[in-house]
Amino acid sequence: MKKFINAVDTVLTETLDGFAAAHSDILALGGGHKFIRRKVLKPGKVALISGGGSGHEPLHGGLVGFGMLDAACPGQVFTSPTPDQMMEAAAEVNTGAGCLFIVKNYEGDVMNFEMAAEMSEGVMQVITNDDVAVEDSLYTTGRRGVAGTLVVEKIVGAAAEEGRALKDLKTLGDKVNRSTRSMGVALTSCTVPAAGKPNFQIGDDEMEFGVGIHGEPGRRRAKLASADAIAEEICEAIAGDLGAAAKGNALLFVNGFGGTPSMELYLMYNSARRQFEKRGITIARSLVGSYVTSLDMAGCSITLSMLDDEAARLWDARVHTAALRWGM
C-alpha cells in the first residue's frame, strides 16, 4: 500500500486538521473533530447537516459553506458517523429555524441520523436514494444514496439561503431526490488504509457495472468496453428508470471516483450527453469532476437530475464552499 499517511489511526484527524486550516476563511472544526461547520452562521436560516463515512471527499465536508451545508459529520473511512456527532452539530449550527438532515440511504447512516433526529428538536430528514443499479445491497435496504446527494444539497442549500421554512425545504429535497438518478462503473478497486489491500479483486480487462461508492458489487462484472458502450448502458438504465419523467431540461453530472483523470471524465461526459440527447433530454446544466469519491478507485458515475425552472434557478444560485464556488 502506497499512501501519504503518518499512521493509520490518525488519518482522519490529520486530514480534518489540514482541511480546516486550508479553508479557515469559511470553515471551523467542531470539538473532538466531530463535525465541520460554517465559520459564519446566518441567524434564522434552517441549518442543513449531512455526513457519512470518510473516503468520499470532497463529499460532505467540502460542501459546507454559503449556499450548501451548515455542517458535515465525518465518520471513519466508509463508516457512519455516530448520533452524538449529529446531535452536537445540530446544537452548534441551529440558529432557531430548525435543522434538515440530508442522509444517504445506507443502513448505518439512516439509523444513526434517525437516532439523532429523535433526540433533537426541530429536525426533519431527506433520504437520498438515487442509485438505479440495485434495489438492495449489503449496506442498504432499498436503493443507495450516491452522487445525486450533491445535487440535493446544492438545490436545497440555495433555497435555505432564501429563508424557506423547514417543511418546505424537506418537500423540495424529496422532490429533487425523486427527479435524480445515478449509476456508476468501476475499473479498479479502492484501498482502505486500515485494510492495506484492495476492497475487491477485478481483472485488468474487467469492469463492475453499478458499483457502490464503497466498492460494493453492482449489477454485473463485464469485460472492459469503449466509453460510448459504457455510457450507453448506464444512460439507458437511468432514462429507463425515470420513465415518462425523462424529458425536458436536465443537469448532467459526471463524477469521478478518485482515481480517474479529468481527461477521461470529460470524455465520458461527451458520450453521456450524446446518449441523453438522443433520447430527447436537453442537457441544460453540467458538472464534471471528482466530488463523490471512493478513495483511489478508478471509475465514474453518471447522474441525471431533471430540472424545472425553480431547480435550475437554485442550481445557478451563488455557492461558496471548498469544492463548489460560483456566482460570486
Side-chain angles (χ1 to χ4, degrees), residues 33-35 72-76 80-90:
H33 296 81
K34 289 184 177 180
F35 58 89
C73 302
Q76 293 294 323
S80 172
T82 59
D84 68 295
Q85 290 180 254
M86 296 82 146
M87 292 173 63
E88 291 188 31

Side-chain angles (χ1 to χ4, degrees), residues 256-328:
F257 284 148
T260 300
S262 294
M263 174 186 286
E264 295 175 36
L265 295 180
Y266 279 106
L267 192 153
M268 283 299 297
Y269 169 86
N270 191 49
S271 295
R273 184 184 184 104
R274 290 200 307 266
Q275 287 295 326
F276 286 128
E277 287 178 342
K278 282 199 312 186
R279 292 166 170 79
I281 297 167
T282 300
I283 303 304
R285 301 291 187 276
S286 304
L287 183 65
V288 180
S290 296
Y291 295 100
V292 184
T293 63
S294 184
L295 293 170
D296 54 348
M297 188 160 71
C300 73
S301 60
I302 295 173
T303 296
L304 190 76
S305 185
M306 307 311 300
L307 297 175
D308 57 19
D309 289 344
E310 177 191 45
R313 180 183 64 80
L314 292 170
W315 177 262
D316 291 341
R318 180 191 167 207
V319 60
H320 187 97
T321 70
L324 290 182
R325 298 186 182 192
W326 60 69
M328 307 304 293

Side-chain angles (χ1 to χ4, degrees), residues 128-187:
T128 62
N129 59 353
D130 50 300
D131 191 352
V132 305
V134 292
E135 287 294 334
D136 296 288
S137 74
L138 177 65
Y139 297 88
T140 67
T141 301
R143 294 185 174 186
R144 302 176 291 217
V146 288
T149 307
L150 178 149
V151 181
V152 174
E153 291 175 354
K154 172 62 185 80
I155 292 175
V156 176
E161 294 291 350
E162 294 180 346
R164 297 198 198 181
L166 177 59
K167 66 177 182 179
D168 295 332
L169 294 175
K170 173 176 169 48
T171 298
L172 175 63
D174 289 337
K175 175 185 174 183
V176 176
N177 178 64
R178 289 194 302 270
S179 301
T180 303
R181 300 290 190 278
S182 302
M183 185 172 164
V185 59
L187 306 182

Side-chain angles (χ1 to χ4, degrees), residues 2-321:
K2 292 183 178 179
K3 292 186 179 293
F4 293 111
I5 62 174
N6 292 313
V8 168
D9 57 357
T10 62
V11 167
L12 179 56
T13 55
E14 291 184 73
T15 295
L16 292 172
D17 285 338
F19 178 72
H23 302 287
S24 59
D25 56 327
I26 59 173
L27 303 171
L29 273 181
H33 296 81
K34 289 184 177 180
F35 58 89
I36 301 161
R37 52 155 286 184
R38 284 170 69 165
K39 190 170 186 177
V40 179
L41 300 173
K42 185 175 181 179
K45 184 187 84 68
V46 173
L48 270 57
I49 301 174
S50 192
S54 297
H56 305 304
E57 290 77 16
L59 192 82
H60 293 275
L63 305 177
V64 173
F66 182 92
M68 292 193 78
L69 300 175
D70 293 273
C73 302
Q76 293 294 323
V77 175
F78 294 173
T79 303
S80 172
T82 59
D84 68 295
Q85 290 180 254
M86 296 82 146
M87 292 173 63
E88 291 188 31
E92 184 89 5
V93 301
N94 186 351
T95 61
C99 297
L100 183 68
F101 289 170
I102 300 176
V103 188
K104 301 186 302 300
N105 188 33
Y106 285 90
E107 288 186 359
D109 290 2
V110 171
M111 178 180 67
N112 288 350
F113 270 98
E114 181 66 35
M115 289 175 62
E118 290 174 354
M119 293 185 285
S120 305
E121 291 189 6
V123 174
M124 301 182 80
Q125 299 189 80
V126 170
I127 309 295
T128 62
N129 59 353
D130 50 300
D131 191 352
V132 305
V134 292
E135 287 294 334
D136 296 288
S137 74
L138 177 65
Y139 297 88
T140 67
T141 301
R143 294 185 174 186
R144 302 176 291 217
V146 288
T149 307
L150 178 149
V151 181
V152 174
E153 291 175 354
K154 172 62 185 80
I155 292 175
V156 176
E161 294 291 350
E162 294 180 346
R164 297 198 198 181
L166 177 59
K167 66 177 182 179
D168 295 332
L169 294 175
K170 173 176 169 48
T171 298
L172 175 63
D174 289 337
K175 175 185 174 183
V176 176
N177 178 64
R178 289 194 302 270
S179 301
T180 303
R181 300 290 190 278
S182 302
M183 185 172 164
V185 59
L187 306 182
T188 70
S189 180
C190 58
T191 300
V192 176
K197 60 182 180 179
N199 259 20
F200 62 91
Q201 296 298 321
I202 186 168
D204 290 341
D205 62 343
E206 293 180 321
M207 57 185 174
E208 183 79 25
F209 265 111
V211 69
I213 57 174
H214 306 93
E216 59 273 49
R219 287 186 169 191
R220 66 187 182 88
R221 183 74 56 90
K223 292 296 182 181
L224 187 63
S226 69
D228 282 345
I230 294 169
E232 181 177 12
E233 179 165 341
I234 292 177
C235 294
E236 182 177 346
I238 288 172
D241 198 85
L242 281 166
K247 60 183 178 181
N249 291 339
L251 161 71
L252 174 57
F253 171 25
V254 174
N255 169 69
F257 284 148
T260 300
S262 294
M263 174 186 286
E264 295 175 36
L265 295 180
Y266 279 106
L267 192 153
M268 283 299 297
Y269 169 86
N270 191 49
S271 295
R273 184 184 184 104
R274 290 200 307 266
Q275 287 295 326
F276 286 128
E277 287 178 342
K278 282 199 312 186
R279 292 166 170 79
I281 297 167
T282 300
I283 303 304
R285 301 291 187 276
S286 304
L287 183 65
V288 180
S290 296
Y291 295 100
V292 184
T293 63
S294 184
L295 293 170
D296 54 348
M297 188 160 71
C300 73
S301 60
I302 295 173
T303 296
L304 190 76
S305 185
M306 307 311 300
L307 297 175
D308 57 19
D309 289 344
E310 177 191 45
R313 180 183 64 80
L314 292 170
W315 177 262
D316 291 341
R318 180 191 167 207
V319 60
H320 187 97
T321 70

